[in-house]
Each structure stands twice: as structure tokens, then as C-alpha cells.
Amino acid sequence: MNYEITNRGIEIKIGSCFDLKNTFDCGQCFRWNEDEDGSFSGIVKDKSVRIYRDNDKIIIENSSEDDFKNLWENYLDLNACYDDIRNEIISLDSRLKCAVDSIDGIRILNQDPWEALCSFIISQNNNIPRIKIIVSRLCEHFGDEIQGGYTFPSADKIAKLSVDDLAPLRSGFRAKYIIDAAKKVSSGEVNLEKMRTAPIDECRKELMTIKGVGPKVAECTLLYGLHRLEAFPIDVWMKKALSTLFNGISPENLGRYAGIAQQYIFHYSRLNPELVDTSKIQ
DNA sequence: GCCCAGGTATAAA
DNA sequence: TTTATACATGGG
């Protein structure tokens, strides 16, 4: 990876295919916010940074070489070639070309699995602005204070709390689900780390033993929290897109990058709502 | 007021 | 096994 440390921070030379807005605002993560100048501010683990684009470079402010190697290189998935991935997806099913071409530079971030699980539990029957507000309240109330904000609280920390303790989050019926998830992860009854390599069907099953975790949250946790790129979250828009825009295309036919294909399909279907035939949806 | 938000648990057919 | 409904909250 081509990078250097300057007085601006870490400067990473990007060949192509990395769009900050498409990556941070696509609904895969909830702790990045766009600033007025188009840069993004966010917190990952115990690092709060601002990140922005300058021509062919991505600049991560206030970060050391160690931060890059220990955190950002992996988090931003900088060693994956998304141009190759796009080509492979199209080669599997050429109908997907329009979807793949509809959005540039999305990357699947390497988020912490517990943070992803917890965030997507909060996401159910909810909208992105409010998901972000609830996640930020969770961090402010129960995370550790760091320079520039708060960390995401650990499962161990949340497991010691009660549903009433989560009242300040104003997360509604989801509070009891967050507590159940924290208890199961903290006790080891649900082993997230094992899910990096375990057979994906076993992972789905194990995740869904958590109250409030259904197929959608399980797939999102696997895709965004465990970087299982073959995971395939299906929501109402995906159902529409699969059945109408792509004439019944099946996730099973999308191979090892199905989850990334899903991002393109989702974006394309949202971009072209008039093409979606709702009569074909139950 | 009413509708919706990248769902899920629960009860009933 | 499949299909309706409630669910907490807040913005439009």
C-alpha cells in the first residue's frame, strides 16, 4: 500500500475506486459524519479522526504509521482491489452491470463485530439519522471518553446493565434486544470471533439465537462486522430489486462477493424507484 | 393525526 | 409454513 506520513497525517495514494461518501453514507456504518467541507469525521476503536480526499490521495488526520498499520489499512479494506471485484461480479451475471456502474468506490469496511451487531439491532424498523443518534447516545453514556468523543462500549460493559439503564438511549423496544445480545456475546454463548472463519450457515444460526436478531441483522453483522463478503442482507428494497429489476436473480448465484453485489443492487434500486414494480411484492 | 423508517417476535390461520 | 400485527421513537 502506497502511503506516507506528512504534517497533514497519513496520506494514502489510491489507484481508483474509493469514494468516501458512498462508503460512509451507504448504511453500513453509523459513526461517520460528513463535515461542511466534504470531509468525514468518525471514531473507530479508540481513534477519532477526520478523513478527506485530495485528488488521488486519502488523508487521515492526526494519525501515526502505527495507526495505519494496526487500524486503518484493515478498516478501510485498502488491500482489496474493488475494480477486480466489480469485474468478477459482472462476469457472474452480466445483468448486474447497471447496478455495479450505479455507484463508485463503495468499500466494505472492517468494523468491529460487536459494534456491527449492536448497531444493526438498533437499525430494525428505524431510519439512518435516528440509528446514528441512538448509537452516539450509547457511546456517550457507556463508552470510554477519548480525545474527540467516546468509544463504542464493549459487550461486557453493556451485559452488566439493565433495560432501564438504557432508557436514556430512547431506543424503544430495541433496548431488551441490545441487553440480550450483550449478555450472549459477553458470556461466550455467541462467539463472534469464531464467525470470521466458521461455516456461514452455523454463524447465521448462532446469531439468530439472540432476541431481536433475525435474518437481516444476522446477514448485516456477518457482512459488515465480520467481513464475510458472501453474506447477503435482504430487506424490502432488496426483495423488490431481486424480483423485478433483476428478474428473480438469486443470491446463491452471486458467489463469494454476493454481499458487495448486494450493495450495488440496493443502491441501484433506490436510485430507480420508478423501475421497481411493487405489485410483485407480497 | 398519519405514515414511514435497510425488521422481528408473536399469535393465529 | 406462511401471513397479519404490534412494537418505541421521532421526523416529515
Side-chain angles (χ1 to χ4, degrees):
Chain A
M1 179 53 51
N2 192 347
Y3 70 95
E4 57 180 335
I5 310 297
T6 71
N7 57 353
R8 292 200 291 182
I10 307 168
E11 302 199 14
I12 305 154
K13 195 158 190 176
I14 299 294
S16 64
C17 213
F18 189 173
D19 185 283
L20 292 174
K21 188 171 178 62
N22 289 343
T23 297
F24 291 137
D25 280 353
C26 71
Q28 67 171 315
C29 55
F30 304 98
R31 297 203 74 197
W32 288 95
N33 293 107
E34 189 171 14
D35 303 319
E36 304 218 338
D37 59 2
S39 65
F40 281 82
S41 296
I43 298 174
V44 180
K45 294 192 178 170
D46 59 347
K47 306 289 180 190
S48 168
V49 297
R50 198 168 74 97
I51 179 167
Y52 61 92
R53 181 106 194 195
D54 181 11
N55 294 311
D56 63 343
K57 285 178 177 167
I58 300 284
I59 290 95
I60 307 172
E61 285 187 342
N62 300 322
S63 295
S64 65
E65 182 160 14
D66 280 348
D67 292 338
F68 179 80
K69 292 197 166 159
N70 297 332
L71 181 59
W72 301 113
E73 184 173 29
N74 177 251
Y75 180 80
L76 299 172
D77 206 16
L78 292 176
N79 291 316
C81 178
Y82 279 71
D83 290 329
D84 291 347
I85 292 172
R86 289 160 75 103
N87 289 335
E88 181 166 330
I89 290 170
I90 294 168
S91 77
L92 285 171
D93 193 313
S94 58
R95 289 176 297 177
L96 291 170
K97 184 163 177 25
C98 55
V100 169
D101 288 341
S102 74
I103 183 161
D104 277 327
I106 274 194
R107 278 170 181 263
I108 306 297
L109 301 169
N110 273 291
Q111 299 183 68
D112 174 74
W114 158 247
E115 177 173 339
L117 169 61
C118 200
S119 299
F120 283 99
I121 285 172
I122 291 167
S123 83
Q124 67 178 241
N125 202 42
N126 211 341
N127 56 65
I128 288 177
R130 203 169 81 93
I131 296 165
K132 288 172 120 174
I133 289 169
I134 293 170
V135 168
S136 89
R137 286 194 199 115
L138 178 66
C139 299
E140 282 161 23
H141 282 272
F142 305 111
D144 296 325
E145 187 165 10
I146 57 168
Q147 182 82 23
Y150 297 85
T151 62
F152 194 95
S154 67
D156 292 342
K157 179 86 179 278
I158 302 300
K160 294 183 183 125
L161 304 175
S162 68
V163 170
D164 287 342
D165 292 327
L166 297 190
L169 306 188
R170 311 194 65 70
S171 60
F173 61 87
R174 304 166 191 85
K176 55 184 179 291
Y177 300 153
I178 296 170
I179 298 290
D180 189 58
K183 285 188 170 156
K184 288 199 165 89
V185 169
S186 177
S187 71
E189 189 177 337
V190 168
N191 187 333
L192 293 173
E193 281 309 315
K194 225 171 70 184
M195 294 185 194
R196 295 193 189 277
T197 52
I200 196 159
D201 281 329
E202 289 177 17
C203 302
R204 291 179 169 119
K205 232 162 114 185
E206 192 168 324
L207 284 167
M208 286 171 62
T209 63
I210 298 167
K211 288 188 203 115
V213 175
K216 173 73 194 312
V217 172
E219 297 295 319
C220 285
T221 302
L222 288 165
L223 177 58
Y224 303 122
L226 291 145
H227 215 68
R228 298 294 296 260
L229 301 182
E230 74 272 40
F232 199 95
I234 298 185
D235 65 0
V236 59
W237 274 91
M238 279 305 298
K239 278 185 189 164
K240 290 177 187 176
L242 294 180
S243 66
T244 65
L245 290 174
F246 297 100
N247 195 28
I249 194 172
S250 164
E252 290 77 48
N253 298 330
L254 294 176
R256 56 182 171 157
Y257 297 129
I260 302 178
Q262 170 268 159
Q263 276 291 0
Y264 298 139
I265 295 169
F266 178 73
H267 185 263
Y268 184 72
S269 68
R270 291 281 236 181
L271 214 57
N272 300 282
E274 74 283 358
L275 300 178
V276 173
D277 180 1
T278 50
S279 69
K280 294 192 181 176
I281 308 304
Q282 32 207 337

